[in-house]
Amino acid sequence: MIEKIAVLGAGTMGHGIAETFAMNGYTVNLYENYEPVRNTVMDTIKDELTFLCENGVLTEEAVGESLSRIHLFADLAEAVGDADYVIEATPEKMELKQELFAELDRLCKAEAILASNTSSLPLMEMAAKLPEERKTRMMVCHWYNPAHLMPIAELSFFGNIEDATYKEVEELYNKAGKQTVKVLKDIPGMVANRIQQAVAREVFALMEDQVASPEDIDKALKFGPAFRYATTGQLEVADMGGLDIWCTVGDNLLSVMDSRKEANPILREKVKAKKLGLKTGEGFFKYPQEEVEHIKNVFNKRLIVQLKASQNYIN
């Protein structure tokens, strides 16, 4: 039974993962070796929990209780020594993860389950330096950003772990309020990111061809397909509309839609110009510095509305 959790890396994803488990009653050891992040992460978590309180997701008491369950560490051995489940959210570099898991194998108890938040690196390649027994207790557990608001978690079941181990982790995530996706094949991007990239490819192509303004392209997605996708999956949508219709429309459209196998040039131009989005003040839209915090809050409030609504129909 998983009781004690260690999260490695307190950056964008790691702190949100730790926060989520803590919100749902688990004791979490949060490890961060970079001092500037370690010195500020608890303030970041407190601000996010307070925001949830202000929007009716948590009580004031729950904010304090959640914070008390997170223990910050600068020493890896201390952070993971008694953990039942360890998940890393470190940079996406294969050599770094291989070395980290090799070290975790030495530091963690034999029955501990090791996991990576990656969605792009192969599981068995990350586990290359581990003994065979440890590989049977290693998974990919991929979260979506922001981790404390997005209710999805993709869990690997690639043939290396026992069904009982998978179910133990699945139960952990269900108790933490996540809807789990059981991924059966080790493919880049897993499931959700591949679906997202397929949509993004056509959105960027429409921008490149100046078919509509950025505002109207996003409006078409938000009030068209995405309006249904918030509560209905693609396969259910297809069944509702009729597979004969979807087959005909596919024959008519897919041959003229974007099919390139690399990032769209319009993205490369933005990156070259250092127009990276919210973090630089401009991407497809502009974000005045004095409005950035407000813009992020509005974005997160929309997710909170969806999160609350989803609880009415999710089993």
Side-chain angles (χ1 to χ4, degrees):
M1 182 178 178
I2 297 173
E3 295 181 345
K4 293 186 178 181
I5 296 169
V7 178
L8 311 183
T12 300
M13 293 304 298
H15 88 268
I17 293 172
E19 183 178 336
T20 300
F21 283 129
M23 284 165 52
N24 288 278
Y26 290 94
T27 298
V28 184
N29 291 347
L30 179 57
Y31 165 77
E32 176 57 59
N33 64 352
Y34 186 51
E35 187 174 2
V37 172
R38 194 170 62 248
N39 289 343
T40 59
V41 66
M42 292 307 295
D43 288 335
T44 299
I45 292 173
K46 182 178 181 180
D47 288 345
E48 291 177 353
L49 292 172
T50 300
F51 184 78
L52 292 178
C53 178
E54 292 170 349
N55 285 274
V57 178
L58 294 177
T59 63
E60 287 187 24
E61 183 180 14
V63 171
E65 290 175 347
S66 298
L67 287 169
S68 71
R69 296 187 189 108
I70 301 174
H71 306 285
L72 198 57
F73 288 85
D75 183 274
L76 182 61
E78 292 182 6
V80 304
D82 64 346
D84 303 308
Y85 174 80
V86 180
I87 180 169
E88 65 84 18
T90 60
E92 294 286 271
K93 297 179 181 179
M94 180 58 73
E95 289 186 3
L96 174 66
K97 292 188 187 293
Q98 287 176 339
E99 293 299 328
L100 175 59
F101 281 113
E103 189 170 5
L104 290 177
D105 180 55
R106 294 190 294 270
L107 298 175
C108 295
K109 55 189 182 183
E111 61 271 27
I113 299 170
L114 308 184
S116 174
N117 179 55
T118 189
S119 69
S120 61
L121 298 179
L123 176 64
M124 285 300 100
E125 191 172 344
M126 289 189 292
K129 297 185 178 183
L130 297 182
E132 292 304 312
E133 181 60 29
R134 181 66 82 177
K135 291 178 183 178
T136 67
R137 299 185 69 77
M138 182 171 172
M139 300 175 63
V140 172
C141 298
H142 176 238
W143 297 56
Y144 248 50
N145 184 39
H148 65 297
L149 293 179
M150 296 294 287
I152 185 177
E154 296 177 307
L155 309 181
S156 71
F157 191 65
F158 297 157
N160 61 301
I161 62 173
E162 298 291 334
D163 189 59
T165 303
Y166 178 86
K167 288 181 178 178
E168 187 176 3
V169 175
E170 182 181 50
E171 183 180 2
L172 166 70
Y173 276 77
N174 290 159
K175 287 182 177 178
K178 296 301 179 184
Q179 293 295 306
T180 56
V181 176
K182 189 176 188 178
V183 183
L184 304 178
K185 290 187 177 181
D186 194 352
I187 59 172
M190 301 190 83
V191 177
N193 274 346
R194 290 174 75 102
I195 295 171
Q196 181 174 248
Q197 281 296 320
V199 173
R201 179 168 62 183
E202 189 58 30
V203 166
F204 296 146
L206 291 169
M207 272 288 299
E208 182 183 22
D209 293 340
Q210 298 182 334
V211 172
S213 69
E215 292 82 1
D216 279 342
I217 290 173
D218 268 6
K219 187 187 296 183
L221 179 60
K222 286 190 290 186
F223 299 104
F227 187 83
R228 290 187 298 210
Y229 291 156
T231 58
T232 313
Q234 176 59 59
L235 301 179
E236 186 180 2
V237 168
D239 275 352
M240 290 293 175
L243 300 186
D244 53 335
I245 303 300
W246 277 88
C247 187
T248 299
V249 174
D251 285 339
N252 291 339
L253 288 187
L254 291 175
S255 64
V256 297
M257 291 172 63
D258 190 33
S259 61
R260 75 189 77 203
K261 296 184 178 181
E262 65 284 326
N264 192 290
I266 200 169
L267 283 177
R268 298 193 189 281
E269 291 171 8
K270 293 285 187 183
V271 171
K272 186 177 180 179
K274 300 191 185 312
K275 296 179 179 180
L276 308 180
L278 185 70
K279 59 185 176 183
T280 60
E282 183 176 352
F284 290 112
F285 305 103
K286 292 185 178 180
Y287 307 95
Q289 183 60 41
E290 66 275 12
E291 297 179 23
V292 166
E293 195 63 29
H294 172 71
I295 291 169
K296 286 197 296 186
N297 285 343
V298 170
F299 178 85
N300 285 336
K301 281 182 180 180
R302 294 201 300 264
L303 293 181
I304 288 172
V305 170
Q306 289 175 231
L307 186 61
K308 289 179 178 179
S310 71
Q311 292 169 349
N312 294 325
Y313 65 86
I314 289 176
N315 294 326

